[in-house]
Amino acid sequence: MAADFSQIKRSEHLPARIAGHIGKEIAEGRILPGEKLPTEHILAKTFGVSRSVVREAIAQLRNEGLVDTRQGVGAFVTEGFGRGSIRIEQNDLHDRDSFRSLFQLRIPLEIEAAGLAAIHHDKNDMKKLDDSLAQMTGAEKWTDQGIVADLVFHRALAAATHNEYFPLFIGFIAERISVAINAARAAAILEEIVETTIAEHVAIRDAVATRDPLTARAAMHRHLMGASGRLDLTLETF
């Protein structure tokens, strides 16, 4: 195998970055269909990360249809015709227009998810939303813990729709735009971001809890438009 795996810089998006690196090796033909990936141990040592990070990266590749995992055997590259995946490289989102387009796609998905979650959620879904809110509230000065909790909230809301495709698509998009949360944190007064962001999430949570889909959708719309403003993105309103 002629694939080039080298250590990458440590960041909060390590699994996504590693998955992107391996995906590129597959796309460019350095790892062929049917070929087995190196073991978790070897990949962890090569990339300079933990095995849990490698497992997350492999899980992402599996969700994207690029690899198939066989218990006790390993991960194998799928045949090209068997892939039904969408790939967006993180580096592509350094382009502002591309990032704006992806953020714009997120809006209708998350608004609809909020409305469906208000209708279909159960007690376990509400617990997950409340747990993520508690983590956000307890994250001093909006540290990485707060950023992760924000993403967990949106994934939990998507899961509360009880439609398996919402977590799939919203999770896919969230992984790729989460770096923008750091950008927003650096672009405005930190305390204002923390207070405003938490209040917006609380409003969404409360609307979902009362099973009010219209209010939940409106609360999500306000949150996403507020987030776009904090990122200095100009989006069409509706």
Side-chain angles (χ1 to χ4, degrees):
M1 181 173 67
D4 176 25
F5 294 138
S6 57
Q7 290 195 15
I8 62 176
K9 294 181 180 179
R10 189 169 300 277
S11 81
E12 66 274 19
H13 304 292
L14 279 174
R17 292 187 64 187
I18 291 172
H21 188 98
I22 297 174
K24 183 178 180 181
E25 297 296 301
I26 294 172
E28 295 181 357
R30 285 186 287 273
I31 312 178
L32 301 176
E35 192 168 353
K36 182 180 177 181
L37 295 185
T39 65
E40 284 183 7
H41 175 76
I42 292 174
L43 287 174
K45 184 176 180 181
T46 303
F47 284 118
V49 299
S50 68
R51 292 180 67 173
S52 63
V53 169
V54 170
R55 280 193 291 271
E56 288 184 51
I58 297 300
Q60 180 175 320
L61 291 169
R62 184 179 64 245
N63 291 337
E64 294 176 359
L66 290 176
V67 303
D68 179 39
T69 54
R70 305 173 195 171
Q71 188 172 5
V73 180
F76 295 79
V77 178
T78 58
E79 298 293 336
F81 62 82
R83 299 175 192 158
S85 63
I86 302 172
R87 291 199 61 80
I88 300 176
E89 297 295 341
Q90 195 71 46
N91 286 340
D92 294 342
L93 299 184
H94 292 165
D95 176 77
R96 190 162 184 79
D97 288 339
S98 296
F99 178 78
R100 177 183 178 276
S101 295
L102 187 60
F103 197 97
Q104 197 166 43
L105 173 62
R106 175 191 185 191
I107 292 176
L109 288 174
E110 294 241 37
I111 289 175
E112 185 65 15
L116 290 173
I119 298 171
H120 297 295
H121 74 269
D122 56 29
K123 290 182 179 179
N124 186 53
D125 295 320
M126 288 307 306
K127 183 180 185 305
K128 290 178 179 178
L129 290 174
D130 288 339
D131 287 347
S132 62
L133 273 176
Q135 291 176 25
M136 268 189 272
T137 305
E140 184 180 359
K141 293 191 179 297
W142 205 248
T143 60
D144 288 348
Q145 178 187 347
I147 296 169
V148 171
D150 186 306
L151 295 175
V152 170
F153 179 93
H154 286 273
R155 292 193 187 101
L157 190 76
T161 65
H162 291 259
N163 177 323
E164 62 181 311
Y165 294 108
F166 274 94
L168 178 65
F169 283 92
I170 288 175
F172 176 85
I173 294 173
E175 283 291 340
R176 283 146 185 81
I177 67 174
S178 58
V179 67
I181 299 173
N182 274 326
R185 180 176 61 176
I189 299 172
L190 188 59
E191 289 76 9
E192 180 183 343
I193 287 179
V194 173
E195 181 179 346
T196 303
T197 302
I198 291 175
E200 289 170 354
H201 285 81
V202 169
I204 296 166
R205 180 263 176 214
D206 289 347
V208 169
T210 57
R211 297 194 182 276
D212 185 343
L214 293 179
T215 302
R217 288 165 60 91
M220 179 60 79
H221 180 261
R222 284 193 298 273
H223 167 55
L224 293 175
M225 295 310 295
S228 69
R230 291 187 286 273
L231 292 166
D232 197 26
L233 293 176
T234 302
L235 302 177
E236 291 84 358
T237 58
F238 56 90

